[in-house]
């Protein structure tokens, strides 16, 4: 929308066709206003006018590329991208080869424009590894060619000093496949000479600034530019141009394009040779004959050159200083004068360089050429040197301007003349527009008989004295009356005095202005001669690349034919170029230079007006206004747009014109927008065409959607059918499988049920049969018994009624017999300790067996006892008695089992001290021991000797060994002891004997033995058992009254047995442990 609004902005219309009023002033004013607004691009229809901004503008970003991509030409601001897009789309979609013609003066921005077009096409065409490689190679050809073919001129710091036409080739999808570059006339004179303030070709400066020290050494160069005669010694570097960086960029670009490192080295070597040739100095000398000759003044440089190219220095020196002349059959070596020598040297340097440049272009072409033979579409981009008017114009300017003249002719032919002629041809109503047709100028230069170039060639080939003066005279003669030709002489003839036209000059009124050419050097440059000796010397060099540049140096191929002249060659290549351009659809970019000082934002109206005039912009606008923007044959038009009308879509059977009319009638465009020619349809404004195109795009999108829809529907349907079939198959299989499983399950279950049922039935039957059997057996048994009973009853009377008892007795006896006999054979051992006895074999023998066991045991014991000695028996009896008395009653008892019952502890017999006591006891002594007697009053104890005889119990004083107390056993009433493990005993006496002292309380260490023996003896003496009380509480009788004694268990063990404590008058506590 931005674009369309500026399109209608009256002050700065985007399309000059809309200019009102249309005057030269308003045109320049509009360009100026737009330039001020930094809108450097303006349209005239589909021609783009570009005004060089001399500053970088932010309008070439990737976002901008996206904006212009596939957009409608007039919907966005004018831009070089728009025309590039239009051309690219036309190529891709309409299958028409395109060419983009970029014209303008030197420094107007042509080369920049061509790069922008290329980069845009590269950005919008499809991507892919292969395609990207091709694009990259195409784009990278620019830095390489610019390094070798561009130089700083007064007008432009980066001026192309050669013409370039590049065909970019695409496949049917619009993907770049490759390209071909053609170069035109390199300005080789620059190698040896350039105007003050200009520079030689960039490569020399780049090489010296950017090469590494090793490379420089390898090339035998010095970094200092001032050292080299061919280079600009004052201003070798340019502001804003980094030669070193550019050198590296160029090397990278070469790598991308596919140059091998060896090729790059060779290329740089030849470049170095050119540079060094400029330093080969000559000096004059005289031969013996007195003739002037020249020689190399400093052989060092020459030697280095020869080392670089692999040539013997003498050979090159010979070639530089002398010349072989063939006269009839002889060859004569003539030496050259110093100027001739320099001429030869410079010619060699120029030739080497220009041939090297051609080689470079061919080498790039070899890399980028299309390898496949697919059908291709071509987009040509022409960036050729612009029109040049200098102070001093030479042969180069003449050639360059001739080329521009031809390009202008194309423009005129295609946009003005051709177009207008076409309207007439097609029978369209048309008012002719006046314009300047420059074919007369072209004719002046290129006419094959009277043209300036033809005459120059003639002069060059003519034998005899030939120089520029004869050439000029000839021109003056032939072209004296030509409107566009002037010279001093023709002016004189017309009596015009023009101080600006010096002698030895001629002037041509070019379409872009009058240019005065100085004829000096015309012949020489046209001839472009190189002494054969030099080309032969080059061919003789071992350097492969250099050698290949001079094929004519091969002595085998010497031809006497003169090579074609430079002018002739150029004319030929321009004619070829024109033919090429005519075959394509042209797109114009007309570059305008806004000022002469390369300054940003400076607009010099006079300068722009001059350019606008000679570019024919006014005429262009006029024709455009009156004419039609678009035309096409009815056939292709109908073919392209027939889908826009249901009547013509999908098929139209009648004529193309009729079809086009029907088609457009349906679209309701205003009548003045369309014109129907004899063979073509004409559409006036691009807007209508864009509308048509937009509608087509929409319709195509609809149709595509329809086709897609149908296809997708079909695909989904078939897919669905397939899935359905598969699904049915799967479910059939699945169901089958499931049913089979279910059937198997049921079969298994049925079998199990059957098995159970059958089992159950069989078991029932079996049970039935078994019970039947049992019943039968029972019935049989009952019957047997019954019969038996009946028989016995019947036959009882015939037997003794006691027969059964008799039998039973017999059987019993027999069993008993067997039992007893068996027992006798298997009697258990006779050890008393062994209590085993075989069990009874029958139950009825249990009691008997038990009885026999007891008898046997007792018998064993008796036998044991019988064989025991009497003392042992008495001891055992005493033990038995002790056990009966104390076992489980007194805790002292278990301890006493370890102690043997010694009876005699005192040793009465042996100890004479106890003689008296021994006498008392005599033979009746049962036991003698020491005891302690408890004092009745205090509870204290005193030791006493105790003697037990069969009749008495004697207590004696241990010291005196005299009996103190003698008790008859029959006086003893009873004995009391405690339950505990102490040796305390109370000896209760009968009342009769207590007259004196009462009961005794004693402590014995052999209490169990004492009491047992007392008991035994008492029983033996009195025939009665001795009453023994095992108790905790008892009373004793003493003369002073009864004392009740309580036995108390003390938790502490006392050392000397029990302790008796008197508690009050009639209570005593015995603390035992
Ligand atoms: N579109 C542009 N934007 C910015 N600067 C430009 C543009 N076109 C040209 N220039 C400037 O102008 C100079 C000359 O342009 P160039 O294309 O080399 O001219 P020509 O090829 O017509 O002789 C460039 O070096 C650049 O500085
Ligand atoms: Mg250029």
């Amino acid at each position: 929308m931005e674009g369309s609004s500026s399109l209608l902005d009256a002050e700065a219309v985007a399309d000059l066709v809309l200019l009102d009023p249309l005057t030269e002033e308003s045109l320049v004013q509009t360009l100026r206003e737009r330039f001020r607004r930094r809108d450097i691009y303006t349209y005239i229809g589909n021609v783009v006018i570009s005004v060089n901004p001399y500053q970088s503008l932010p309008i070439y970003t990737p976002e901008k590329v996206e904006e212009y991509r596939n957009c409608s030409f007039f919907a966005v601001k004018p831009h070089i991208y728009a025309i590039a897009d239009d051309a690219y789309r036309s190529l891709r979609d309409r299958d028409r080869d395109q060419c983009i013609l970029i014209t303008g003066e030197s420094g107007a921005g042509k080369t920049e424009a061509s790069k922008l077009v290329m980069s845009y096409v590269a950005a919008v065409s499809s991507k892919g590894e292969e395609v990207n490689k091709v694009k990259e190679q195409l784009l990278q050809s620019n830095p390489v060619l610019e390094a070798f073919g561009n130089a700083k001129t007064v007008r432009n710091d980066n001026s192309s000093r050669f013409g370039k036409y590049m065909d970019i080739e695409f496949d049917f999808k619009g993907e770049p496949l490759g390209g071909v570059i053609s170069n035109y006339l390199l300005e080789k004179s620059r190698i040896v000479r350039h105007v003050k303030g200009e520079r030689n070709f960039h490569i020399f400066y780049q090489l010296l600034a950017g090469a590494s020290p090793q490379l420089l050494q390898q090339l035998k160069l010095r970094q200092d530019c001032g050292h080299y005669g061919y280079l600009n010694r004052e201003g070798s570097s340019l502001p804003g141009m980094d030669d070193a960086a550019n050198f590296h960029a160029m090397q990278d670009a070469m790598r991308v394009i596919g140059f091998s490192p060896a090729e790059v080295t060779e290329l740089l070597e030849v470049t170095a040779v050119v540079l060094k040739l400029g330093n080969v100095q000559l000096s004059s000398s005289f031969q013996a004959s007195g003739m002037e000759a020249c020689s190399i003044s400093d052989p060092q440089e020459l030697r280095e050159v020869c080392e670089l190219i692999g040539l013997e220095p003498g050979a090159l020196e010979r070639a530089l200083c002398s010349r072989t002349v063939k006269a009839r059959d002889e060859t004569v070596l003539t030496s050259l004068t110093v100027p001739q020598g320099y001429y030869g040297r410079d010619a060699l340097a120029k030739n080497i360089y220009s041939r090297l440049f051609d080689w470079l272009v061919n080498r790039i072409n070899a890399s980028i050429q299309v390898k496949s033979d697919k059908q291709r579409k071509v987009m040509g981009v022409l960036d050729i040197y612009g029109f040049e008017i200098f102070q001093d114009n030479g042969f180069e300017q003449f050639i360059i301007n001739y080329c521009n003249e031809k390009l202008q002719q194309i423009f005129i032919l295609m946009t003005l003349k051709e177009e207008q002629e076409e309207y007439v041809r097609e029978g369209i109503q048309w008012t002719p527009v006046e314009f300047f047709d420059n074919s007369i100028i072209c004719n002046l230069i290129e006419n094959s008989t009277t043209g300036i170039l033809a005459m120059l060639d003639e002069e060059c080939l003519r034998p005899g004295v030939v120089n520029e003066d004869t050439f000029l005279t000839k021109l003056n003669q032939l072209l004296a009356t030509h409107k566009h030709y002037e010279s001093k002489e023709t002016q004189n003839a017309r009596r015009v005095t023009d101080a600006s036209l010096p002698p030895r000059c001629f002037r041509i009124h070019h379409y872009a202005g009058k240019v005065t050419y100085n004829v000096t050097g015309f012949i020489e440059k046209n001839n472009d001669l190189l002494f054969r000796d030099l080309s032969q010397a080059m061919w003789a060099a071992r350097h492969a690349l250099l050698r290949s540049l001079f094929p004519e140096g091969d002595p085998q191929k010497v031809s006497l034919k003169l090579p074609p002249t430079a002018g002739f060659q150029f004319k030929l290549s321009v004619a070829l170029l024109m033919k090429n351009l005519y075959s394509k659809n042209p797109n114009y970019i007309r570059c305008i230079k806004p000022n002469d000082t390369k300054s940003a934002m400076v607009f010099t109206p006079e300068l722009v007006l001059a350019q606008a005039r000679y570019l024919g912009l006014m005429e262009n606008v006029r024709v455009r206004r009156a004419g039609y923007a678009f035309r096409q044959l009815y056939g292709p038009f109908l073919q392209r747009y027939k889908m826009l009308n249901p009547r013509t879509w999908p098929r139209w059977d009648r004529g193309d014109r009729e079809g086009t009319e029907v088609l457009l009638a349906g679209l309701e465009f205003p009548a003045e927008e369309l014109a129907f020619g004899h063979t073509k349809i004409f559409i006036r404004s691009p807007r209508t065409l864009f509308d048509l195109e937009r509608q087509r795009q929409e319709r195509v999108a609809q149709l595509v959607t329809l086709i897609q829809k149908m296809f997708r529907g079909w695909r989904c349907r078939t897919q669905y059918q397939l899935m359905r079939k598969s699904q049915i198959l799967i479910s059939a299989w699945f169901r089958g499988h499931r049913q089979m499983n279910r059937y198997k399950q049921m079969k298994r279950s049925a079998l199990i049920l059957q098995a159970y049922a059958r089992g159950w039935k069989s078991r029932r039957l079996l049970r039935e049969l078994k019970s039947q059997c049992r019943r039968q057996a029972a019935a049989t048994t009952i019957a047997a018994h019954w019969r038996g009973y009946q028989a016995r009853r019947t036959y009882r009377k015939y037997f003794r009624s006691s027969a059964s008892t008799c039998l039973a007795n017999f059987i019993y006896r027999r069993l008993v017999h067997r039992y007893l006999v068996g027992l006798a054979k298997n009697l258990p051992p006779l050890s008393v300790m062994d209590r085993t006895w075989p069990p009874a074999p029958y139950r009825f023998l249990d009691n008997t067996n038990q009885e026999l066991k007891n008898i046997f045991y007792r018998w064993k014991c008796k036998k044991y006892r019988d064989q025991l000695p009497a003392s042992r028996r008495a001891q055992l009896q005493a033990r038995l008695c002790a056990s009966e008395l104390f076992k489980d009653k007194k805790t002292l008892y278990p301890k006493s089992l370890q102690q043997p019952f010694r009876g005699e502890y005192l040793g009465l017999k042996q100890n004479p001290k106890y003689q008296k006591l021994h006498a008392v006891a005599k033979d009746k002594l049962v036991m003698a021991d020491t005891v302690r007697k408890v004092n009745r009053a205090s509870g204290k104890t005193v030791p006493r000797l105790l003697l037990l005889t069969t009749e008495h119990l004697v207590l004696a004083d241990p010291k005196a060994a005299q009996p103190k107390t003698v008790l008859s056993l029959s006086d003893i009433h009873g004995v009391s002891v405690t339950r505990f493990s102490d040796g305390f005993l109370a000896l209760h006496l009968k009342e009769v004997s207590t007259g004196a002292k009462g009961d005794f309380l004693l402590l014995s260490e052999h209490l169990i033995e004492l009491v047992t023996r007392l008991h035994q003896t008492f029983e033996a003496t009195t025939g009665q058992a001795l009453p023994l009380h095992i108790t905790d509480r008892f009373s004793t009788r003493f003369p002073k009254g009864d004392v009740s004694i309580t036995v108390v268990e003390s938790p502490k063990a006392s050392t000397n047995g029990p302790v008796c404590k008197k508690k009050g008058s009639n209570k005593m506590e015995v603390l035992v442990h």
Side-chain angles (χ1 to χ4, degrees):
M1 284 307 96
E2 202 185 2
S4 54
S5 65
S6 76
L7 207 64
L8 301 173
D9 182 341
E11 251 184 280
V13 281
D15 192 339
L16 295 178
V17 173
L18 304 171
L19 205 60
D20 191 37
L22 176 63
T23 59
E24 284 183 335
E25 291 74 46
S26 65
L27 189 140
V28 173
Q29 184 51 38
T30 307
L31 289 179
R32 184 179 196 165
E33 178 57 25
R34 289 182 63 76
F35 186 70
R36 194 185 64 75
R37 297 180 187 183
R38 290 189 168 73
D39 287 333
I40 59 167
Y41 298 114
T42 311
Y43 293 143
I44 300 177
N46 50 7
V47 174
V48 176
I49 298 169
S50 155
V51 186
N52 190 347
Y54 285 118
Q55 62 178 332
S56 66
L57 298 176
I59 52 173
Y60 307 111
T61 54
E63 294 78 48
K64 280 280 167 192
V65 171
E66 274 313 306
E67 190 182 326
Y68 281 89
R69 183 179 194 157
N70 289 333
C71 72
S72 157
F73 193 81
F74 284 94
V76 280
K77 267 187 172 182
H79 200 294
I80 208 155
Y81 286 169
I83 194 169
D85 189 65
D86 194 40
Y88 176 67
R89 271 199 289 165
S90 185
L91 170 118
R92 192 188 58 193
D93 304 343
R94 288 172 186 266
D95 199 16
R96 286 188 65 181
D97 285 353
Q98 303 287 322
C99 66
I100 294 175
L101 302 179
I102 309 170
T103 55
E105 285 189 20
S106 173
K110 297 182 297 297
T111 306
E112 293 295 323
S114 77
K115 286 195 266 184
L116 288 172
V117 169
M118 279 169 69
S119 61
Y120 180 82
V121 171
V124 297
S125 55
S126 62
K127 290 167 185 63
E129 206 178 317
E130 192 56 31
V131 175
N132 278 349
K133 190 180 156 209
V134 171
K135 283 190 209 170
E136 201 48 30
Q137 285 185 333
L138 290 175
L139 292 178
Q140 290 300 328
S141 66
N142 280 330
V144 179
L145 291 179
E146 282 192 11
F148 281 87
N150 285 22
K152 174 199 158 62
T153 65
V154 189
R155 313 245 158 134
N156 182 355
D157 286 352
N158 184 29
S159 179
S160 321
R161 303 322 295 162
F162 68 106
K164 185 175 108 181
Y165 173 74
M166 182 170 189
D167 263 338
I168 309 173
E169 300 181 328
F170 298 85
D171 66 1
F172 71 100
K173 291 180 294 203
E175 284 178 11
L177 295 171
V180 188
I181 299 172
S182 315
N183 61 317
Y184 299 96
L185 194 74
L186 180 75
E187 187 203 31
K188 57 187 171 186
S189 62
R190 185 168 292 273
I191 286 291
V192 298
R193 212 166 295 115
H194 51 77
V195 178
K196 199 164 180 292
E198 297 195 349
R199 290 207 316 183
N200 209 325
F201 291 100
H202 292 327
I203 182 65
F204 298 115
Y205 303 93
Q206 291 182 357
L207 179 60
L208 296 186
S212 62
Q214 296 92 299
L215 182 57
L216 283 178
Q217 202 185 358
Q218 188 190 344
L219 300 176
K220 303 189 191 304
L221 291 176
R222 286 205 228 162
Q223 198 166 24
D224 168 27
C225 286
H227 178 67
Y228 295 100
Y230 282 162
L231 299 188
N232 181 338
R233 299 184 189 219
E234 292 103 51
S236 58
S237 64
L238 289 177
M241 193 180 278
D242 183 349
D243 285 322
N246 285 345
F247 181 67
H248 298 304
M250 192 245 346
Q251 281 185 313
D252 290 343
M254 283 198 183
R255 207 169 307 122
V256 172
I257 294 169
F259 280 71
S260 69
E263 281 174 323
V264 176
T265 313
E266 283 190 334
L267 181 71
L268 294 178
E269 277 168 359
V270 177
T271 314
V273 166
V274 173
L275 198 54
K276 290 174 82 62
L277 270 180
N279 280 12
V280 173
Q281 297 299 327
L282 303 174
S283 58
S284 68
S285 58
F286 287 95
Q287 288 178 315
S289 59
M291 292 274 283
E292 194 192 339
C294 71
S295 59
I296 306 292
S297 56
D298 176 14
Q300 173 61 22
E301 203 79 41
L302 185 82
R303 209 175 306 127
E304 286 182 2
V305 168
C306 288
E307 275 172 31
L308 275 175
I309 62 176
L311 184 66
E312 195 250 312
L316 185 58
E317 185 175 356
R318 236 184 345 272
L320 281 172
C321 299
S322 56
R323 190 178 166 194
T324 349
V325 180
K326 266 197 182 153
R328 295 206 190 92
D329 300 334
E330 283 181 79
T331 49
V332 187
L333 193 72
T334 58
S335 57
L336 300 174
T337 61
V338 173
Q340 280 175 330
Y342 276 129
Y343 173 82
R345 181 198 71 170
D346 289 349
L348 178 62
K350 287 193 283 187
N351 263 291
I352 294 178
Y353 192 80
S354 77
R355 290 175 193 213
L356 182 70
F357 190 73
D358 290 341
W359 175 85
L360 188 67
V361 172
N362 287 336
R363 175 64 191 79
I364 294 175
N365 279 339
S367 273
I368 63 175
Q369 77 184 5
V370 180
K371 275 98 194 169
S372 66
D373 46 58
K374 283 188 212 162
Q375 213 197 344
R376 309 161 198 169
K377 302 174 192 184
V378 179
M379 180 186 281
V381 182
L382 180 70
D383 166 28
I384 207 148
Y385 15 59
F387 199 81
E388 285 183 353
I389 312 175
F390 295 139
Q391 212 69 47
D392 187 19
N393 303 295
F395 182 72
E396 285 86 3
Q397 277 67 43
F398 176 69
I399 292 290
I400 288 173
N401 291 344
Y402 160 60
C403 179
N404 276 280
E405 204 68 62
K406 289 297 283 179
L407 288 176
Q408 176 69 2
Q409 193 182 24
I410 282 203
F411 180 71
I412 290 171
L413 274 175
M414 285 204 172
T415 57
L416 306 175
K417 189 173 172 195
E418 172 72 14
E419 184 155 337
Q420 299 197 59
E421 282 174 5
E422 185 169 34
Y423 293 138
V424 177
R425 220 174 29 244
E426 287 287 325
I428 307 266
Q429 206 181 11
W430 180 253
T431 344
V433 173
E434 282 301 309
F435 62 90
F436 169 67
D437 186 351
N438 72 340
S439 25
I440 181 166
I441 308 175
C442 294
N443 201 36
L444 168 69
I445 299 170
E446 68 181 0
N447 187 295
S448 55
T449 50
T450 57
I452 298 176
L453 281 175
M455 275 184 279
L456 185 59
D457 279 358
E458 206 179 298
E459 278 300 296
C460 290
L461 300 175
R462 189 168 60 83
V465 186
V466 176
N467 57 36
E468 279 87 9
D469 294 326
T470 55
F471 165 61
L472 191 59
T473 319
K474 203 163 181 184
L475 286 186
N476 288 339
Q477 276 172 10
L478 263 170
L479 305 169
T481 54
H482 199 287
K483 270 201 288 182
H484 292 270
Y485 178 84
E486 261 184 333
S487 72
K488 197 89 193 153
E489 223 165 288
T490 57
Q491 279 184 348
N492 287 345
R494 281 188 236 142
R495 296 192 174 70
V496 180
T497 38
D498 184 351
S500 67
L501 191 61
R504 284 180 67 81
C505 287
F506 66 90
R507 181 183 282 163
I508 292 180
H509 295 203
H510 283 289
Y511 77 100
K514 294 177 184 173
V515 184
T516 310
Y517 299 101
N518 190 334
V519 288
T520 315
F522 262 59
I523 303 263
E524 173 208 318
K525 285 175 181 164
N526 192 38
N527 266 335
D528 191 22
L529 273 184
L530 180 68
F531 297 144
R532 185 165 296 131
D533 301 71
L534 284 168
S535 52
Q536 282 177 349
M538 291 299 108
W539 189 83
R542 280 194 300 281
H543 195 279
L545 172 59
L546 186 71
R547 191 189 161 105
S548 73
L549 298 181
F550 290 89
E552 82 274 18
D554 185 354
Q556 311 288 312
K557 292 185 194 158
V558 173
S559 94
L560 287 174
K561 229 178 95 191
L562 277 172
T565 61
F568 180 79
Q569 278 181 15
F570 190 71
K571 197 174 108 183
L572 223 61
S573 53
V574 165
L576 211 67
L577 173 68
M578 295 304 137
K579 201 174 148 214
N580 191 350
L581 295 181
Y582 275 125
S583 69
K584 299 190 164 79
N585 183 43
N587 301 273
Y588 290 98
I589 299 171
R590 319 224 78 187
C591 297
I592 287 182
K593 203 159 93 163
N595 60 65
D596 259 336
T597 52
K598 300 179 234 175
S599 2
M601 298 319 292
V602 176
F603 191 92
T604 317
E606 302 79 51
L607 202 67
V608 176
L609 179 62
Q611 292 173 70
R613 266 195 201 139
Y614 75 68
L615 287 175
L617 297 188
M618 287 293 286
E619 292 88 339
N620 193 352
V621 175
R622 275 199 210 103
V623 171
R624 195 77 215 179
R625 276 196 179 189
Y628 292 84
F630 176 81
R631 74 227 47 199
Q632 197 171 27
L633 288 172
Y634 287 120
F637 182 84
L638 186 64
Q639 191 60 30
R640 186 164 180 82
Y641 297 107
K642 64 180 179 179
M643 69 286 285
L644 292 181
N645 194 320
R647 287 181 62 195
T648 50
W649 175 258
R651 201 171 294 119
W652 177 257
D653 298 329
R654 278 171 280 159
D656 288 339
R657 179 180 175 147
E658 205 182 329
T660 307
E661 279 168 4
V662 168
L663 170 73
L664 289 171
L667 293 174
E668 294 173 354
F669 287 122
E672 66 275 13
E673 278 294 308
L674 305 171
F676 294 88
H678 296 310
T679 59
K680 289 181 178 172
I681 169 74
F682 289 80
I683 295 174
R684 187 177 294 278
S685 69
R687 219 168 284 276
T688 311
L689 183 67
F690 288 126
D691 195 19
L692 205 60
E693 194 60 23
R694 183 186 49 74
Q695 288 191 31
R696 179 179 180 273
Q697 258 175 15
E698 283 170 10
R699 181 76 184 122
V700 167
Q702 281 172 5
L703 290 174
V704 167
T705 315
L706 184 74
I707 294 169
Q708 271 184 349
K709 186 182 82 179
M710 298 307 290
F711 172 72
R712 287 201 185 125
W714 171 82
R715 200 175 54 181
C716 284
R717 237 183 350 267
T718 40
Q719 177 83 0
Y720 168 74
Q721 299 285 9
L722 195 71
M723 279 168 64
R724 189 160 175 268
K725 264 193 227 158
S726 315
Q727 189 272 331
I728 290 171
L729 195 71
I730 292 168
S731 50
W733 276 94
F734 176 73
R735 286 200 197 116
H737 175 76
R738 200 172 53 180
Q739 289 300 340
M740 206 155 70
N741 276 355
R742 195 177 286 171
Y743 166 75
K744 278 182 189 164
Q745 177 82 35
M746 280 166 67
K747 195 172 158 189
R748 261 201 308 275
S749 313
L751 279 177
I752 290 171
L753 286 176
Q754 252 179 19
Y756 273 112
R758 284 191 188 144
W760 175 74
K761 266 168 80 179
S762 306
R763 276 191 301 279
R764 199 177 57 176
L765 187 65
L766 184 67
R767 243 188 344 263
E768 188 67 28
L769 289 175
K770 271 184 179 171
S771 92
Q772 220 172 339
C773 272
R774 269 203 307 276
R775 277 202 303 275
Q776 268 179 6
T780 312
T781 309
I782 292 167
H785 274 92
W786 175 247
R787 286 202 200 100
Y789 166 71
Q790 275 188 329
R792 275 191 303 279
R793 210 174 51 177
T794 315
Y795 291 99
R796 189 173 291 154
K797 53 187 178 246
Y798 302 112
F799 290 102
R800 286 226 302 271
S801 55
S802 58
S804 62
T805 325
C806 189
L807 278 172
N809 283 343
F810 175 75
I811 289 163
Y812 281 129
R813 261 200 312 275
R814 179 91 194 111
L815 290 177
V816 168
H817 175 78
R818 219 165 64 195
Y819 162 64
L820 290 175
V821 170
L823 206 57
K825 279 182 189 161
N826 294 316
L827 271 181
L830 289 179
S831 161
V832 191
M833 302 308 285
D834 186 349
R835 310 245 354 205
T836 55
W837 186 255
Y842 304 102
R843 247 208 347 256
F844 74 93
L845 286 174
D846 274 356
N847 292 339
T848 318
N849 195 44
Q850 189 60 41
E851 200 59 33
L852 279 173
K853 180 181 171 185
N854 292 342
I855 291 169
F856 180 72
Y857 184 68
R858 265 185 250 127
W859 175 74
K860 263 200 310 194
C861 290
K862 182 170 181 320
K863 277 200 74 161
Y864 177 72
R865 279 196 309 273
D866 287 349
Q867 49 96 40
L868 283 177
S871 61
R872 174 88 178 121
R873 195 181 309 158
Q875 212 171 37
L876 284 177
Q877 271 172 350
R879 286 278 179 195
L880 180 65
C881 181
S883 147
E884 281 164 2
L885 291 176
F886 296 108
K887 192 173 178 189
D888 298 334
K889 293 172 190 158
K890 182 161 172 77
T891 49
L892 185 64
Y893 174 72
K895 285 182 196 162
S896 74
L897 289 176
Q898 269 79 36
Q899 298 170 349
F901 287 5
R902 277 183 20 218
E904 228 291 4
Y905 292 96
L906 296 177
L908 290 181
K909 247 190 225 170
Q910 295 81 6
N911 202 336
K913 191 179 162 191
Y914 298 132
Q915 218 175 350
K916 235 185 233 168
L917 290 176
H918 187 246
V920 171
K922 284 182 219 149
D923 303 331
K924 299 165 195 163
L925 184 73
V926 178
M927 186 171 172
D929 196 6
T930 315
V931 295
R932 296 186 79 84
K933 180 175 159 284
V934 181
N935 189 303
R936 300 168 188 107
S938 64
K940 289 197 181 125
T941 58
V942 281
R944 288 284 185 267
L945 301 177
L946 182 144
L947 300 182
L948 176 65
T949 67
T950 47
E951 287 156 10
H952 298 99
L953 185 81
V954 182
L955 288 172
D957 181 56
K959 284 176 194 149
Q962 285 280 0
K964 260 190 142 183
T965 315
V966 180
L967 293 172
S968 169
L969 288 185
S970 54
D971 292 342
I972 295 170
H973 172 62
V975 175
S976 291
V977 292
T978 70
R979 284 191 291 128
F980 306 102
S981 55
D982 58 310
F984 182 82
L985 93 156
L987 201 64
H988 304 290
L989 300 182
K990 288 183 183 162
E991 277 180 50
V992 261
S993 63
T994 53
K997 288 176 184 167
D999 294 352
F1000 287 97
L1001 299 178
L1002 301 173
L1003 294 175
S1004 167
E1005 283 181 13
H1006 305 107
L1007 179 96
I1008 301 292
E1009 186 181 355
L1010 177 63
V1011 174
T1012 307
R1013 286 194 190 275
L1014 186 62
H1015 188 272
Q1016 280 180 320
T1017 320
F1018 185 85
E1019 200 169 29
T1021 315
T1022 60
Q1024 283 167 10
L1026 175 72
L1028 175 68
H1029 310 282
I1030 299 172
T1031 172
D1032 290 353
R1033 192 182 288 260
F1034 49 84
S1035 77
T1036 49
R1037 214 178 294 156
F1038 294 128
K1040 289 183 185 156
D1042 290 356
V1043 172
S1044 92
I1045 292 180
T1046 317
V1047 181
V1048 179
E1049 193 179 17
S1050 114
K1052 250 189 339 195
S1054 86
T1055 39
N1056 309 324
V1059 179
C1060 303
K1061 279 185 190 161
K1062 191 85 185 329
K1063 294 262 171 111
S1065 56
N1066 52 1
K1067 266 192 190 157
M1068 185 182 273
E1069 234 177 45
V1070 180
L1071 291 173
V1072 296
H1073 168 61

